[in-house]
Amino acid sequence: MKLTYQRLLPYLFLSPSLLLLAVFVYGPALENIVYSLFSWSSMNPDWRYVGFGNYRHLFSNHIFWASLVNNTLYAVISVAVQVFVALGIAAVLDARVFKRRLVYLFRTTFFLPSILPVTVVGLLWQLIYQPTLGLIDQLLFATGLDSLSRVWLGEEQTAMLAVIMVSQWQWTGYMVALFMVSIAAIPRDLYEALEMEGASRLQQFRYITIPGVREATLILTVITIFGAFKVFDIVWVMTAGGPNHASEVLGTHMYRSAFRDDVVGYASSVATVIFFITICVGMVQLKMQRDR
Amino acid sequence: MSKLEMVSVSKTFGPVKAIEDISFSVEEREFVVLVGPSGCGKSTLLRLIAGLEDISAGDLLINGTRFNAVPPAQRGLAMVFQSYALYPHMTVAENMSVGLRIARVDKAVIASKVSEVAAILQLETLLDRLPRQLSGGQRQRVAIGRAIIRDPEIFLFDEPLSNLDAALRLQMRLEIAKLHKKLDATIIYVTHDQVEAMTLADKIVVLNEGRIEQIGTPLGLYTAPRNIFVASFLGSPKMNLLPGRVTGSDSGTARIDLDIGASTPIDVKAERLSDGDRVTVGIRPESIAVGAEGSDAFLPGVVSVVEQLGGQTIVYVDIEGGSPITVIMEGLADITTGTAVKLGLPGSALHVFDDGGEAVNRIG
């Protein structure tokens, strides 16, 4: 009797959060897969079972593929900047190149954008990107580089990259702070031992810092990729996926399909694709962690 | 010419003086132990020698050349850290050879050096293991191997045994002593453990609050400590210290009355002492005789604690009006708690320290 009680007790404590997860996360995720097999809209009570029809439509839709490419570009650049550049910056800040006060100043300055709301960031950068009057164009004019001036958010070639750069500006400092914590946990005497062996700063980075932050790097890479495939808000605020779907991502494509075009079944199939992409990334992470 | 010389070296961290005007030398093949309590500056001193900290004032000479500004890697030194500082993602072989790989030494040469050092330290079967798969003693050997493989001019050891349990510490202490002989190495070794210092050192440098208290051979320091600090730091159990007063002194002998009642004549260079001076008399636990026959002074007391260690017995005796006195008796002594005893203090075994804690020289 007592044994059964002890065995059940942990589940009792877990049950509130499990219940919330089931109702608000796993339930809707599974429900969404069912929705994606129907053709339906919010204005029409008739649901029509179409099997994989929504998916056939999805995979033949060039906007979906353009969105997927944009998400992938988002992920690649974000991993490069928010993970690897951030690691480099964190290592430099930790290497006692700068005085401690300067390190605090840099760290805080880099970190501040991450606490701003996305809408504020979006509006701020819309002003910075503004043609002619914006800060970037003003800088180009001031330095005689007028020919490089663009309608940054209004041209198909630059819109996506312009939005991606804003995301890097906002989140790289946050990642730097996380990497600095991770680097600070590496024992100092490992560096000193290698210094006595004649290793340069770069060799110390290679032999100690990189292996020392491997776990953190893996987790932050996965989180960054998750974020890149789920991105919606900053794109919606800055370009709403335009011009001509040039900055469309899966999130905005799904939102537009569901709430503007009212093809909710189709939007559910986009959501399902995002769901499976993130599951795949998560499984890769788990496998890499197990392999270690 | 000394192998290494510290000349009036000081180190300050902001307003804090960690090392103050320290001078000592290390000869070729000498095993020098820097010993002192926590915070005395011994590890800082080692880091100054290693080049991991900058010297604030004074000179570091190696083979007669000033090395103050030479980068750590070019000083010809190898250091074994207290935490071993093994790279967790590298195998034993990679840990030992990392310095050679950085120096781009030929792979075949590296392989032969690794196997040579592994043989010296009995690490042959562990070369492919990661540090986390090793025991504390094995990690310690890898750290030593990493130092040996570089063939340094001088080995620096920073409290290398402090993370090991008592049995392993004893074993590694013996191994380090053997290694010193086998490699004909010059070693500077930091520890807070006076037993390590006494057993390993050719020369001991006793440090306290950033200053040198005394330099000498282990037995020299044990038998003729320069002051109360050295006297009580070396030796376990500690030297008994009994306050007293000079009551009579002539050219060669001073008579000292201990506060706890006994009186004894001691042959000291009495010119530094005059009647009425406060002094401290020290006596090692093993020098005290239980039973007062033939002693110059004796103290009555009652046994409060008996510790039977097998080879010896440590007896704590309560003295009326004073601190308990520790006595070491050889073998398994037949003595029990509560026994009334008379402790004999042979005059020849007494150390006398003046009011400032400095030893008063004995005659002869």
Side-chain angles (χ1 to χ4, degrees):
Chain A
M1 182 67 191
K2 198 181 170 194
L3 201 68
T4 318
Y5 172 73
Q6 279 188 343
R7 206 177 288 162
L8 289 179
L9 195 61
Y11 294 99
L12 183 69
F13 285 122
L14 284 175
S15 55
S17 53
L18 282 176
L19 188 71
L20 287 173
L21 276 174
V23 172
F24 292 107
V25 179
Y26 298 115
L30 292 176
E31 210 177 5
N32 176 71
I33 295 173
V34 177
Y35 289 168
S36 71
L37 303 176
F38 290 85
S39 172
W40 62 288
S41 78
S42 55
M43 296 296 159
N44 190 342
D46 295 330
W47 287 37
R48 188 163 51 87
Y49 179 76
V50 293
F52 290 103
N54 283 326
Y55 291 94
R56 275 194 292 277
H57 177 204
L58 177 75
F59 292 128
S60 61
N61 186 348
H62 72 96
I63 299 172
F64 165 77
W65 289 111
S67 303
L68 194 60
V69 168
N70 280 340
N71 278 109
T72 309
L73 183 69
Y74 212 114
V76 169
I77 293 179
S78 295
V79 168
V81 177
Q82 289 178 37
V83 179
F84 294 105
V85 173
L87 173 59
I89 294 172
V92 170
L93 289 182
D94 186 74
R96 299 175 186 184
V97 178
F98 303 108
K99 286 192 173 155
R100 194 174 293 178
R101 277 189 182 180
L102 214 51
V103 170
Y104 293 153
L105 177 73
F106 283 140
R107 196 177 57 184
T108 311
T109 313
F110 291 151
F111 185 79
L112 274 179
S114 70
I115 61 172
L116 295 176
V118 170
T119 41
V120 172
V121 171
L123 289 172
L124 176 74
W125 277 88
Q126 274 182 340
L127 290 174
I128 293 172
Y129 280 136
Q130 209 176 47
T132 318
L133 294 173
L135 183 67
I136 292 179
D137 275 8
Q138 286 292 320
L139 274 174
L140 291 174
F141 297 149
T143 50
L145 298 168
D146 309 32
S147 59
L148 295 178
S149 168
R150 292 278 180 287
V151 184
W152 299 100
L153 295 173
E155 290 183 22
E156 288 184 25
Q157 292 82 359
T158 55
M160 189 71 247
L161 283 174
V163 176
I164 291 174
M165 285 310 140
V166 173
S167 188
Q168 311 317 308
W169 173 84
Q170 188 175 16
W171 294 111
T172 303
Y174 180 73
M175 299 298 242
V176 168
L178 293 182
F179 271 123
M180 283 187 79
V181 172
S182 186
I183 291 173
I186 300 173
R188 204 83 229 164
D189 51 13
L190 290 184
Y191 290 98
E192 291 178 344
L194 207 61
E195 189 184 349
M196 290 203 66
E197 303 271 5
S200 64
R201 282 268 167 84
L202 210 58
Q203 284 167 322
Q204 290 174 33
F205 178 70
R206 177 185 156 197
Y207 285 115
I208 299 170
T209 309
I210 290 180
V213 298
R214 191 181 288 171
E215 288 287 329
T217 308
L218 182 62
I219 289 167
L220 294 180
T221 302
V222 170
I223 289 173
T224 306
I225 296 174
F226 280 159
F229 279 97
K230 290 194 308 184
V231 68
F232 166 74
D233 44 14
I234 189 72
V235 181
W236 194 253
V237 168
M238 293 192 73
T239 62
N244 192 25
H245 302 293
S247 61
E248 200 81 73
V249 289
L250 291 173
T252 54
H253 183 47
M254 173 185 71
Y255 182 86
R256 197 189 312 279
S257 305
F259 302 113
R260 293 279 168 93
D261 303 342
D262 203 13
V263 281
V264 189
Y266 174 82
S268 298
S269 67
V270 180
T272 306
V273 169
I274 298 174
F275 180 62
F276 277 106
I277 289 172
T278 48
I279 280 188
C280 287
V281 175
M283 281 167 63
V284 170
Q285 180 214 355
L286 276 179
K287 181 162 171 29
M288 284 172 79
Q289 261 179 336
R290 278 202 199 113
D291 288 350
R292 267 179 59 74
Chain B
M1 184 172 56
S2 298
K3 186 84 186 160
L4 179 142
E5 220 173 325
M6 300 288 273
V7 185
S8 299
V9 169
S10 296
K11 173 67 185 173
T12 51
F13 294 101
V16 181
K17 279 192 172 179
I19 297 288
E20 227 176 321
D21 192 23
I22 276 185
S23 301
F24 68 91
S25 61
V26 178
E27 307 304 324
E28 182 91 45
R29 289 192 284 280
E30 199 172 30
F31 197 128
V32 174
V33 175
L34 309 179
V35 69
S38 296
C40 71
K42 53 193 188 297
S43 286
T44 305
L45 194 54
L46 199 70
R47 292 169 62 80
L48 292 178
I49 295 171
L52 296 172
E53 302 284 353
D54 293 330
I55 293 173
S56 305
D59 290 321
L60 164 69
L61 308 177
I62 298 176
N63 295 323
T65 310
R66 190 170 183 272
F67 263 64
N68 287 39
V70 176
Q74 290 162 29
R75 296 188 179 202
L77 312 172
M79 183 148 160
V80 177
F81 288 79
Q82 183 174 5
S83 63
Y84 318 136
L86 298 181
Y87 311 115
H89 56 283
M90 292 186 197
T91 63
V92 168
E94 287 167 343
N95 257 288
M96 291 205 293
S97 63
V98 65
L100 301 178
R101 284 186 284 137
I102 286 169
R104 296 186 186 282
V105 173
D106 185 67
K107 276 184 183 168
V109 177
I110 293 178
S112 86
K113 278 204 158 192
V114 167
S115 56
E116 185 187 324
V117 172
I120 294 174
L121 296 166
Q122 292 134 37
L123 290 169
E124 295 105 317
T125 55
L126 306 173
L127 287 174
D128 294 326
R129 296 225 193 140
L130 291 170
R132 66 167 179 266
Q133 298 165 317
L134 303 177
S135 68
Q138 289 167 336
R139 284 180 207 179
Q140 180 59 264
R141 287 214 292 273
V142 177
I144 294 172
R146 196 169 64 190
I148 293 176
I149 207 165
R150 295 183 56 210
D151 201 12
E153 295 257 345
I154 302 169
F155 288 88
L156 309 176
F157 285 83
D158 187 8
E159 307 218 27
L161 307 185
S162 59
N163 289 344
L164 303 177
D165 63 46
L168 206 51
R169 196 179 305 172
L170 179 69
Q171 186 194 331
M172 285 307 296
R173 203 170 75 203
L174 290 173
E175 287 194 26
I176 289 174
K178 281 186 201 162
L179 208 60
H180 173 228
K181 290 214 165 58
K182 193 188 269 183
L183 299 175
D184 262 342
T186 310
I187 294 178
I188 304 175
Y189 186 106
V190 162
T191 180
H192 64 270
D193 182 344
Q194 49 96 17
V195 179
E196 274 173 42
M198 296 292 288
T199 51
L200 288 171
D202 296 320
K203 181 158 83 190
I204 295 178
V205 179
V206 184
L207 292 158
N208 184 31
E209 294 180 349
R211 295 200 192 115
I212 292 179
E213 295 284 352
Q214 193 172 358
I215 301 175
T217 61
L219 276 184
L221 297 187
Y222 190 78
T223 53
R226 185 187 288 165
N227 52 39
I228 288 184
F229 177 84
V230 177
S232 54
F233 188 79
L234 295 178
S236 176
K238 284 183 174 183
M239 178 185 276
N240 296 290
L241 297 170
L242 311 164
R245 184 182 294 278
V246 180
T247 53
S249 59
D250 55 33
S251 56
T253 307
R255 172 157 287 280
I256 292 168
D257 283 354
L258 298 177
D259 291 357
I260 47 178
S263 175
T264 179
I266 302 177
D267 296 333
V268 291
K269 286 183 178 165
E271 65 265 24
R272 281 180 54 198
L273 298 176
S274 14
D275 285 6
D277 280 358
R278 295 292 304 169
V279 291
T280 303
V281 172
I283 183 159
R284 299 259 177 223
E286 67 272 20
S287 302
I288 299 176
V290 177
E293 296 81 13
S295 292
D296 298 308
F298 66 85
L299 294 167
V302 177
V303 174
S304 61
V305 178
V306 177
E307 292 176 346
Q308 298 281 9
L309 302 183
Q312 56 182 205
T313 305
I314 301 176
V315 182
Y316 299 88
V317 179
D318 284 341
I319 305 290
E320 202 180 320
S323 316
I325 287 184
T326 315
V327 181
I328 295 178
M329 299 171 74
E330 283 308 305
L332 287 170
D334 183 20
I335 194 162
T336 53
T337 308
T339 310
V341 289
K342 281 185 176 177
L343 302 180
L345 312 179
S348 59
L350 297 180
H351 301 261
V352 181
F353 303 97
D354 65 19
D355 209 16
E358 295 297 310
V360 179
N361 288 342
R362 305 290 303 246
I363 293 171

